[in-house]
Amino acid sequence: MERFCLIIIMALTSLYCKSQTIDSTYIESDTIVYEIVEQMPEFPGGTACFMSYLSKNIKLSSISQEDVVHGRFIARFIVEKDGSITGVYVIRSLGVIDDEYLRVIREMPKWEPGMKDGKPVRVWYTLPVHIDFR
């Protein structure tokens, strides 16, 4: 049996905050970041490619044999209109592995941006990852 086991749970829809209603008639700004839009942002190739990207790029050499990491790491970031990733931060920390996950998120390729009314918009994206290293 392998010492390390990584399970990625992509229950993203359950973690989204309630959508904020913004009347675009009165507010036209590039600073608005939506919670939920008609077409949510997507990693190139979809969820399976996203999970593959994470598993191939996470380097856990900094975790010692004595470290036991167990729980849910949650990060949040903005997918910009051009698909780039900004505003990355941790919502739920697991300590020793946070920096590595943040590094991989910041280095992701551009996503397909979220769309609202047929136009690309900035969208918050929440990434939960269940981790069990024993």
PDB file of all heavy atoms in Angstrom, residues 72-94:
ATOM      1  N   ARG A  72      -9.081  19.188   4.155  1.00  0.00           N
ATOM      2  CA  ARG A  72      -9.486  19.842   2.926  1.00  0.00           C
ATOM      3  C   ARG A  72      -8.770  21.178   2.787  1.00  0.00           C
ATOM      4  O   ARG A  72      -8.903  22.054   3.631  1.00  0.00           O
ATOM      5  CB  ARG A  72     -10.993  20.064   2.903  1.00  0.00           C
ATOM      6  CG  ARG A  72     -11.461  20.665   1.584  1.00  0.00           C
ATOM      7  CD  ARG A  72     -12.942  20.783   1.535  1.00  0.00           C
ATOM      8  NE  ARG A  72     -13.491  19.448   1.557  1.00  0.00           N
ATOM      9  CZ  ARG A  72     -14.593  19.074   0.940  1.00  0.00           C
ATOM     10  NH1 ARG A  72     -15.276  19.944   0.274  1.00  0.00           N
ATOM     11  NH2 ARG A  72     -15.019  17.853   1.006  1.00  0.00           N
ATOM     12  N   PHE A  73      -8.015  21.315   1.726  1.00  0.00           N
ATOM     13  CA  PHE A  73      -7.378  22.575   1.352  1.00  0.00           C
ATOM     14  C   PHE A  73      -8.342  23.271   0.399  1.00  0.00           C
ATOM     15  O   PHE A  73      -8.869  22.647  -0.521  1.00  0.00           O
ATOM     16  CB  PHE A  73      -6.044  22.290   0.652  1.00  0.00           C
ATOM     17  CG  PHE A  73      -5.439  23.484  -0.021  1.00  0.00           C
ATOM     18  CD1 PHE A  73      -4.662  24.376   0.694  1.00  0.00           C
ATOM     19  CD2 PHE A  73      -5.646  23.721  -1.371  1.00  0.00           C
ATOM     20  CE1 PHE A  73      -4.098  25.488   0.079  1.00  0.00           C
ATOM     21  CE2 PHE A  73      -5.083  24.820  -1.996  1.00  0.00           C
ATOM     22  CZ  PHE A  73      -4.312  25.704  -1.266  1.00  0.00           C
ATOM     23  N   ILE A  74      -8.579  24.562   0.629  1.00  0.00           N
ATOM     24  CA  ILE A  74      -9.468  25.310  -0.260  1.00  0.00           C
ATOM     25  C   ILE A  74      -8.777  26.605  -0.662  1.00  0.00           C
ATOM     26  O   ILE A  74      -8.345  27.374   0.194  1.00  0.00           O
ATOM     27  CB  ILE A  74     -10.826  25.631   0.397  1.00  0.00           C
ATOM     28  CG1 ILE A  74     -11.524  24.346   0.849  1.00  0.00           C
ATOM     29  CG2 ILE A  74     -11.722  26.401  -0.583  1.00  0.00           C
ATOM     30  CD1 ILE A  74     -12.808  24.563   1.615  1.00  0.00           C
ATOM     31  N   ALA A  75      -8.674  26.806  -1.969  1.00  0.00           N
ATOM     32  CA  ALA A  75      -8.108  28.041  -2.507  1.00  0.00           C
ATOM     33  C   ALA A  75      -9.174  28.733  -3.348  1.00  0.00           C
ATOM     34  O   ALA A  75     -10.123  28.100  -3.814  1.00  0.00           O
ATOM     35  CB  ALA A  75      -6.889  27.749  -3.364  1.00  0.00           C
ATOM     36  N   ARG A  76      -8.967  30.023  -3.533  1.00  0.00           N
ATOM     37  CA  ARG A  76      -9.893  30.804  -4.349  1.00  0.00           C
ATOM     38  C   ARG A  76      -9.073  31.722  -5.240  1.00  0.00           C
ATOM     39  O   ARG A  76      -8.033  32.237  -4.832  1.00  0.00           O
ATOM     40  CB  ARG A  76     -10.812  31.623  -3.450  1.00  0.00           C
ATOM     41  CG  ARG A  76     -12.007  32.182  -4.189  1.00  0.00           C
ATOM     42  CD  ARG A  76     -13.052  32.645  -3.187  1.00  0.00           C
ATOM     43  NE  ARG A  76     -14.315  32.779  -3.880  1.00  0.00           N
ATOM     44  CZ  ARG A  76     -15.148  33.767  -3.713  1.00  0.00           C
ATOM     45  NH1 ARG A  76     -14.880  34.729  -2.852  1.00  0.00           N
ATOM     46  NH2 ARG A  76     -16.277  33.827  -4.376  1.00  0.00           N
ATOM     47  N   PHE A  77      -9.558  31.932  -6.465  1.00  0.00           N
ATOM     48  CA  PHE A  77      -8.850  32.800  -7.395  1.00  0.00           C
ATOM     49  C   PHE A  77      -9.833  33.377  -8.401  1.00  0.00           C
ATOM     50  O   PHE A  77     -10.975  32.934  -8.495  1.00  0.00           O
ATOM     51  CB  PHE A  77      -7.714  32.054  -8.099  1.00  0.00           C
ATOM     52  CG  PHE A  77      -8.110  30.757  -8.766  1.00  0.00           C
ATOM     53  CD1 PHE A  77      -8.547  30.741 -10.083  1.00  0.00           C
ATOM     54  CD2 PHE A  77      -8.025  29.559  -8.081  1.00  0.00           C
ATOM     55  CE1 PHE A  77      -8.905  29.555 -10.697  1.00  0.00           C
ATOM     56  CE2 PHE A  77      -8.376  28.364  -8.687  1.00  0.00           C
ATOM     57  CZ  PHE A  77      -8.812  28.357 -10.004  1.00  0.00           C
ATOM     58  N   ILE A  78      -9.356  34.365  -9.136  1.00  0.00           N
ATOM     59  CA  ILE A  78     -10.169  35.000 -10.167  1.00  0.00           C
ATOM     60  C   ILE A  78      -9.697  34.504 -11.523  1.00  0.00           C
ATOM     61  O   ILE A  78      -8.503  34.494 -11.806  1.00  0.00           O
ATOM     62  CB  ILE A  78     -10.036  36.535 -10.117  1.00  0.00           C
ATOM     63  CG1 ILE A  78     -10.533  37.073  -8.783  1.00  0.00           C
ATOM     64  CG2 ILE A  78     -10.795  37.188 -11.291  1.00  0.00           C
ATOM     65  CD1 ILE A  78     -10.221  38.552  -8.557  1.00  0.00           C
ATOM     66  N   VAL A  79     -10.655  34.084 -12.352  1.00  0.00           N
ATOM     67  CA  VAL A  79     -10.359  33.807 -13.756  1.00  0.00           C
ATOM     68  C   VAL A  79     -10.720  35.087 -14.501  1.00  0.00           C
ATOM     69  O   VAL A  79     -11.878  35.501 -14.523  1.00  0.00           O
ATOM     70  CB  VAL A  79     -11.157  32.604 -14.293  1.00  0.00           C
ATOM     71  CG1 VAL A  79     -10.837  32.380 -15.767  1.00  0.00           C
ATOM     72  CG2 VAL A  79     -10.873  31.355 -13.472  1.00  0.00           C
ATOM     73  N   GLU A  80      -9.708  35.730 -15.061  1.00  0.00           N
ATOM     74  CA  GLU A  80      -9.886  37.017 -15.731  1.00  0.00           C
ATOM     75  C   GLU A  80     -10.558  36.847 -17.094  1.00  0.00           C
ATOM     76  O   GLU A  80     -10.710  35.728 -17.589  1.00  0.00           O
ATOM     77  CB  GLU A  80      -8.527  37.710 -15.902  1.00  0.00           C
ATOM     78  CG  GLU A  80      -7.857  38.074 -14.599  1.00  0.00           C
ATOM     79  CD  GLU A  80      -8.528  39.231 -13.861  1.00  0.00           C
ATOM     80  OE1 GLU A  80      -9.346  39.955 -14.466  1.00  0.00           O
ATOM     81  OE2 GLU A  80      -8.222  39.414 -12.673  1.00  0.00           O
ATOM     82  N   LYS A  81     -10.921  37.965 -17.705  1.00  0.00           N
ATOM     83  CA  LYS A  81     -11.579  37.960 -19.013  1.00  0.00           C
ATOM     84  C   LYS A  81     -10.738  37.273 -20.082  1.00  0.00           C
ATOM     85  O   LYS A  81     -11.275  36.693 -21.023  1.00  0.00           O
ATOM     86  CB  LYS A  81     -11.866  39.391 -19.477  1.00  0.00           C
ATOM     87  CG  LYS A  81     -12.917  40.107 -18.674  1.00  0.00           C
ATOM     88  CD  LYS A  81     -13.070  41.517 -19.209  1.00  0.00           C
ATOM     89  CE  LYS A  81     -14.102  42.296 -18.437  1.00  0.00           C
ATOM     90  NZ  LYS A  81     -14.306  43.635 -19.012  1.00  0.00           N
ATOM     91  N   ASP A  82      -9.413  37.339 -19.945  1.00  0.00           N
ATOM     92  CA  ASP A  82      -8.523  36.703 -20.924  1.00  0.00           C
ATOM     93  C   ASP A  82      -8.142  35.275 -20.518  1.00  0.00           C
ATOM     94  O   ASP A  82      -7.348  34.628 -21.187  1.00  0.00           O
ATOM     95  CB  ASP A  82      -7.271  37.542 -21.145  1.00  0.00           C
ATOM     96  CG  ASP A  82      -6.348  37.592 -19.926  1.00  0.00           C
ATOM     97  OD1 ASP A  82      -6.727  37.079 -18.839  1.00  0.00           O
ATOM     98  OD2 ASP A  82      -5.250  38.157 -20.054  1.00  0.00           O
ATOM     99  N   GLY A  83      -8.705  34.775 -19.410  1.00  0.00           N
ATOM    100  CA  GLY A  83      -8.436  33.413 -18.948  1.00  0.00           C
ATOM    101  C   GLY A  83      -7.273  33.288 -17.992  1.00  0.00           C
ATOM    102  O   GLY A  83      -7.019  32.208 -17.466  1.00  0.00           O
ATOM    103  N   SER A  84      -6.561  34.384 -17.740  1.00  0.00           N
ATOM    104  CA  SER A  84      -5.440  34.325 -16.797  1.00  0.00           C
ATOM    105  C   SER A  84      -5.961  34.232 -15.361  1.00  0.00           C
ATOM    106  O   SER A  84      -7.121  34.542 -15.085  1.00  0.00           O
ATOM    107  CB  SER A  84      -4.527  35.543 -16.970  1.00  0.00           C
ATOM    108  OG  SER A  84      -5.238  36.732 -16.707  1.00  0.00           O
ATOM    109  N   ILE A  85      -5.076  33.816 -14.463  1.00  0.00           N
ATOM    110  CA  ILE A  85      -5.432  33.605 -13.054  1.00  0.00           C
ATOM    111  C   ILE A  85      -4.814  34.713 -12.210  1.00  0.00           C
ATOM    112  O   ILE A  85      -3.618  34.974 -12.307  1.00  0.00           O
ATOM    113  CB  ILE A  85      -4.919  32.237 -12.566  1.00  0.00           C
ATOM    114  CG1 ILE A  85      -5.450  31.098 -13.447  1.00  0.00           C
ATOM    115  CG2 ILE A  85      -5.253  32.008 -11.092  1.00  0.00           C
ATOM    116  CD1 ILE A  85      -6.952  30.984 -13.517  1.00  0.00           C
ATOM    117  N   THR A  86      -5.635  35.362 -11.372  1.00  0.00           N
ATOM    118  CA  THR A  86      -5.148  36.403 -10.457  1.00  0.00           C
ATOM    119  C   THR A  86      -5.848  36.234  -9.109  1.00  0.00           C
ATOM    120  O   THR A  86      -6.768  35.430  -8.971  1.00  0.00           O
ATOM    121  CB  THR A  86      -5.440  37.825 -11.000  1.00  0.00           C
ATOM    122  OG1 THR A  86      -6.861  38.006 -11.104  1.00  0.00           O
ATOM    123  CG2 THR A  86      -4.787  38.061 -12.349  1.00  0.00           C
ATOM    124  N   GLY A  87      -5.420  37.011  -8.134  1.00  0.00           N
ATOM    125  CA  GLY A  87      -6.098  37.062  -6.839  1.00  0.00           C
ATOM    126  C   GLY A  87      -6.139  35.749  -6.097  1.00  0.00           C
ATOM    127  O   GLY A  87      -7.092  35.469  -5.378  1.00  0.00           O
ATOM    128  N   VAL A  88      -5.103  34.942  -6.210  1.00  0.00           N
ATOM    129  CA  VAL A  88      -5.081  33.622  -5.581  1.00  0.00           C
ATOM    130  C   VAL A  88      -4.871  33.751  -4.073  1.00  0.00           C
ATOM    131  O   VAL A  88      -3.980  34.463  -3.633  1.00  0.00           O
ATOM    132  CB  VAL A  88      -3.947  32.757  -6.177  1.00  0.00           C
ATOM    133  CG1 VAL A  88      -3.948  31.370  -5.551  1.00  0.00           C
ATOM    134  CG2 VAL A  88      -4.052  32.678  -7.689  1.00  0.00           C
ATOM    135  N   TYR A  89      -5.720  33.088  -3.301  1.00  0.00           N
ATOM    136  CA  TYR A  89      -5.521  33.057  -1.854  1.00  0.00           C
ATOM    137  C   TYR A  89      -6.120  31.793  -1.253  1.00  0.00           C
ATOM    138  O   TYR A  89      -6.893  31.092  -1.896  1.00  0.00           O
ATOM    139  CB  TYR A  89      -6.071  34.313  -1.177  1.00  0.00           C
ATOM    140  CG  TYR A  89      -7.578  34.430  -1.151  1.00  0.00           C
ATOM    141  CD1 TYR A  89      -8.304  34.027  -0.035  1.00  0.00           C
ATOM    142  CD2 TYR A  89      -8.280  34.963  -2.231  1.00  0.00           C
ATOM    143  CE1 TYR A  89      -9.681  34.149   0.006  1.00  0.00           C
ATOM    144  CE2 TYR A  89      -9.656  35.098  -2.188  1.00  0.00           C
ATOM    145  CZ  TYR A  89     -10.351  34.686  -1.070  1.00  0.00           C
ATOM    146  OH  TYR A  89     -11.712  34.802  -1.033  1.00  0.00           O
ATOM    147  N   VAL A  90      -5.724  31.492  -0.021  1.00  0.00           N
ATOM    148  CA  VAL A  90      -6.163  30.288   0.680  1.00  0.00           C
ATOM    149  C   VAL A  90      -7.362  30.616   1.559  1.00  0.00           C
ATOM    150  O   VAL A  90      -7.331  31.574   2.333  1.00  0.00           O
ATOM    151  CB  VAL A  90      -5.022  29.711   1.553  1.00  0.00           C
ATOM    152  CG1 VAL A  90      -5.514  28.536   2.382  1.00  0.00           C
ATOM    153  CG2 VAL A  90      -3.853  29.307   0.687  1.00  0.00           C
ATOM    154  N   ILE A  91      -8.392  29.807   1.448  1.00  0.00           N
ATOM    155  CA  ILE A  91      -9.558  29.917   2.329  1.00  0.00           C
ATOM    156  C   ILE A  91      -9.382  28.983   3.520  1.00  0.00           C
ATOM    157  O   ILE A  91      -9.619  29.356   4.652  1.00  0.00           O
ATOM    158  CB  ILE A  91     -10.862  29.564   1.575  1.00  0.00           C
ATOM    159  CG1 ILE A  91     -11.152  30.608   0.500  1.00  0.00           C
ATOM    160  CG2 ILE A  91     -12.036  29.452   2.546  1.00  0.00           C
ATOM    161  CD1 ILE A  91     -12.338  30.281  -0.365  1.00  0.00           C
ATOM    162  N   ARG A  92      -8.965  27.740   3.257  1.00  0.00           N
ATOM    163  CA  ARG A  92      -8.709  26.774   4.326  1.00  0.00           C
ATOM    164  C   ARG A  92      -7.308  26.199   4.142  1.00  0.00           C
ATOM    165  O   ARG A  92      -7.019  25.566   3.145  1.00  0.00           O
ATOM    166  CB  ARG A  92      -9.736  25.653   4.322  1.00  0.00           C
ATOM    167  CG  ARG A  92      -9.482  24.660   5.466  1.00  0.00           C
ATOM    168  CD  ARG A  92     -10.482  23.567   5.541  1.00  0.00           C
ATOM    169  NE  ARG A  92     -11.757  24.122   5.972  1.00  0.00           N
ATOM    170  CZ  ARG A  92     -12.907  23.473   5.859  1.00  0.00           C
ATOM    171  NH1 ARG A  92     -12.949  22.284   5.325  1.00  0.00           N
ATOM    172  NH2 ARG A  92     -14.024  24.015   6.276  1.00  0.00           N
ATOM    173  N   SER A  93      -6.485  26.413   5.125  1.00  0.00           N
ATOM    174  CA  SER A  93      -5.075  26.037   5.066  1.00  0.00           C
ATOM    175  C   SER A  93      -4.839  24.644   5.639  1.00  0.00           C
ATOM    176  O   SER A  93      -5.538  24.214   6.557  1.00  0.00           O
ATOM    177  CB  SER A  93      -4.263  27.056   5.872  1.00  0.00           C
ATOM    178  OG  SER A  93      -2.932  26.636   5.989  1.00  0.00           O
ATOM    179  N   LEU A  94      -3.828  23.978   5.077  1.00  0.00           N
ATOM    180  CA  LEU A  94      -3.330  22.731   5.662  1.00  0.00           C
ATOM    181  C   LEU A  94      -1.857  22.854   6.015  1.00  0.00           C
ATOM    182  O   LEU A  94      -1.153  21.862   6.179  1.00  0.00           O
ATOM    183  CB  LEU A  94      -3.557  21.557   4.713  1.00  0.00           C
ATOM    184  CG  LEU A  94      -4.998  21.102   4.575  1.00  0.00           C
ATOM    185  CD1 LEU A  94      -5.108  19.937   3.604  1.00  0.00           C
ATOM    186  CD2 LEU A  94      -5.608  20.721   5.907  1.00  0.00           C
TER     187      LEU A  94
END
